[in-house]
Amino acid sequence: MIRSRMLRVAFGLGIATALVSGCGAPSSESVPLLSSSSAHVVKPQAAQAIQNVIVIVQQHRSFDNVFAGFRGADAPMYGLEHNGKRVSLRPIRLESVPSCGDGEFSNYFDTVYNKGQMNGWDLVDAKDPTCPYTRIVRNEVKPYWDLAKRYALADHMFASTRYESFVDSIYLVAGTTKLQANTYAAGAPSKEPWGCDAPAGTTTPILKNGKIELGGPFPCFTQFPTIADLLDKAGVGWNVYTDRPTSSLPFDPFEAMKAVREGPDWTADTSSPASNVLNDLDSGALRPVSFVLSPVRDSDYPGNGGGPKWVQRIVEHAQKSRYWQHLAIVVVWDDFGNGSFYDNVPPAILDPMGLGFRVPLLVISPAVKHGYISRTQYEYGSILKFIEVNWNLGTLRATDERATSIRDMFDR
């Protein structure tokens, strides 16, 4: 099963220590958690071009897997093997469940990356060397392509880490999983449910001094603030739309944040099911900042085919809503597939955790550069920075500080 493979891969990674040694990229020390407020007063936003942001979180796809062949993007229809041979990307359906390597090849990142050549994908699965060389059939991702043609697409958006969705989801709201100097949460917790509701004795793998160690902390973190803390402090309303009760997929990163899970935000700023975002768009109840954690069936997680139509449905409701003229919808994928989906662009090595491989990023808004393809290097902190600057929130003092905002995809 692809999910169990992801967990085994995350535990086994002894990743790229040599690549980050001597790297001059700035590191973010852990900072005290900001105090959370239960007040959610919406500040006047009349002067802002963007008054509402919806971040839709999809899952588990590389950029090339979704957009191979998209005109103008860095998305070839073929991949490279380690010997330089070209391999055509094989069309697959969203409901296909590839599991390249079956978890036995734990050090896939170093091998695939291959000193920046990105040509080691055929070494991931000895039984089926062409396993990762796939693309989703065009008709199934047509809604994504149509949105990219009409609005804006980023073809240099990278996952913030080389690990799987648990830690990347946290980077989407916190910009880090740094626990202390040279130590990061770097894998899925040992038991479910992940987060503060995990059973006693649950531990989280850590990356310490470049090496994975099991038996790390309980997954209910206080070591770093999230965008929720900044929004609460500024009195800017926010919400998370998610299906509950839920399994660990899709994972709600706020479930692992003690200040949210055990504070007033848990009831004040979460809405279930995720489809409530449609109701709030229709009724005028949308808050300035929203995260939509797409249900598994609509998430693009392998084996589930509802994602493109789900995103299209949200956009259609948004276009008919009172918010449309000052709204930005950001569609991002929370990890790149952990070795199962080919991508051709090498990530920059910025710190011990990342960057990871590319993921798709769409920005849908009347205010974007229409038909624009951004080649700017982004990471999850780029979305956080856009929100921080738009509402003058300050920073999380994490990867949001180094990241380039997605603001350059807008023309007003």
Side-chain angles (χ1 to χ4, degrees):
M1 182 177 178
I2 192 166
R3 181 166 162 269
S4 61
R5 179 196 173 246
M6 287 166 50
L7 304 189
R8 292 196 299 270
V9 167
F11 296 161
L13 292 174
I15 293 174
T17 304
L19 292 173
V20 298
S21 61
C23 178
S27 61
S28 306
E29 297 300 324
S30 59
V31 297
L33 187 64
L34 300 176
S35 60
S36 178
S37 169
S38 59
H40 299 285
V41 178
V42 179
K43 290 188 173 183
Q45 310 295 337
Q48 295 177 215
I50 300 301
Q51 297 177 15
N52 293 83
V53 172
I54 301 174
V55 181
I56 304 174
V57 182
Q58 300 297 97
Q59 290 191 291
H60 211 76
R61 299 286 171 176
S62 71
F63 185 89
D64 283 342
N65 190 245
V66 177
F67 284 105
F70 191 90
R71 186 174 181 178
D74 190 344
M77 295 283 283
Y78 64 87
L80 294 178
E81 293 185 341
H82 75 283
N83 59 8
K85 179 183 176 181
R86 287 189 177 187
V87 179
S88 295
L89 299 183
R90 180 179 74 258
I92 62 171
R93 301 192 61 193
L94 280 163
E95 293 183 353
S96 300
V97 188
S99 184
C100 305
D102 198 28
E104 297 175 3
F105 196 88
S106 62
N107 200 27
Y108 73 87
F109 184 91
D110 284 335
T111 299
V112 167
Y113 183 78
N114 194 17
K115 300 178 181 178
Q117 298 183 78
M118 293 292 288
N119 63 358
W121 295 91
D122 58 314
L123 303 176
V124 169
D125 192 326
K127 295 180 181 179
D128 183 7
T130 64
C131 179
Y133 296 87
T134 62
R135 59 179 176 85
I136 303 170
V137 293
R138 188 76 51 85
N139 67 310
E140 290 198 359
V141 290
K142 185 178 184 299
Y144 292 148
W145 282 50
D146 289 346
L147 290 169
K149 291 173 183 176
R150 185 172 182 181
Y151 298 104
L153 172 70
D155 73 354
H156 275 65
M157 173 69 179
F158 295 87
S160 288
T161 85
R162 294 182 281 273
Y163 301 91
E164 41 67 63
S165 60
F166 176 76
V167 289
D168 271 324
S169 294
I170 294 174
Y171 268 77
L172 274 167
V173 301
T176 190
T177 57
K178 194 167 191 175
L179 305 172
Q180 58 188 40
N182 302 315
T183 304
Y184 302 80
S190 58
K191 299 178 183 178
E192 295 185 10
W194 298 342
C196 297
D197 293 320
T202 301
T203 60
T204 306
I206 61 173
L207 181 71
K208 185 174 183 179
N209 296 321
K211 295 182 179 180
I212 288 287
E213 297 181 6
L214 303 182
F218 186 77
C220 191
F221 302 115
T222 61
Q223 292 91 338
F224 39 84
T226 70
I227 193 68
D229 297 290
L230 298 182
L231 291 165
D232 283 346
K233 185 178 181 181
V236 177
W238 64 278
N239 213 342
V240 177
Y241 297 93
T242 182
D243 282 3
R244 286 201 180 97
T246 182
S247 68
S248 55
L249 294 175
F251 173 67
D252 179 352
F254 292 110
E255 290 190 22
M257 302 295 113
K258 187 179 180 69
V260 175
R261 179 61 188 93
E262 299 182 5
D265 286 334
W266 192 245
T267 53
D269 300 313
T270 61
S271 183
S272 181
S275 59
N276 281 350
V277 66
L278 305 176
N279 301 331
D280 286 351
L281 280 165
D282 295 345
S283 67
L286 190 72
R287 295 180 184 175
V289 178
S290 302
F291 291 88
V292 179
L293 307 180
S294 297
V296 174
R297 64 184 179 276
D298 299 322
S299 69
D300 298 331
Y301 193 84
N304 299 276
K309 290 183 179 179
W310 159 251
V311 171
Q312 182 181 44
R313 187 180 176 200
I314 295 174
V315 173
E316 289 172 350
H317 279 255
Q319 289 170 330
K320 297 174 183 177
S321 75
R322 54 175 278 197
Y323 303 102
W324 176 242
Q325 290 303 315
H326 299 281
L327 173 66
I329 299 175
V330 180
V331 187
V332 66
W333 280 250
D334 73 354
D335 78 54
F336 47 81
N338 292 88
S340 288
F341 300 121
Y342 176 83
D343 197 75
N344 79 97
V345 177
I349 307 301
L350 299 183
D351 62 35
M353 291 287 285
L355 300 172
F357 297 141
R358 284 193 307 172
V359 296
L361 175 76
L362 291 163
V363 181
I364 301 150
S365 172
V368 296
K369 302 172 185 176
H370 290 257
Y372 180 65
I373 300 175
S374 175
R375 291 289 174 87
T376 303
Q377 178 178 292
Y378 300 128
E379 56 183 293
Y380 297 144
S382 300
I383 301 171
L384 293 172
K385 177 170 280 187
F386 176 72
I387 294 170
E388 290 166 353
V389 173
N390 197 62
W391 279 278
N392 193 26
L393 303 177
T395 78
L396 294 169
R397 294 164 56 191
T399 55
D400 55 323
E401 290 194 330
R402 76 182 182 202
T404 300
S405 170
I406 61 171
R407 188 69 182 83
D408 63 351
M409 297 177 74
F410 294 77
D411 58 12
R412 62 178 173 88

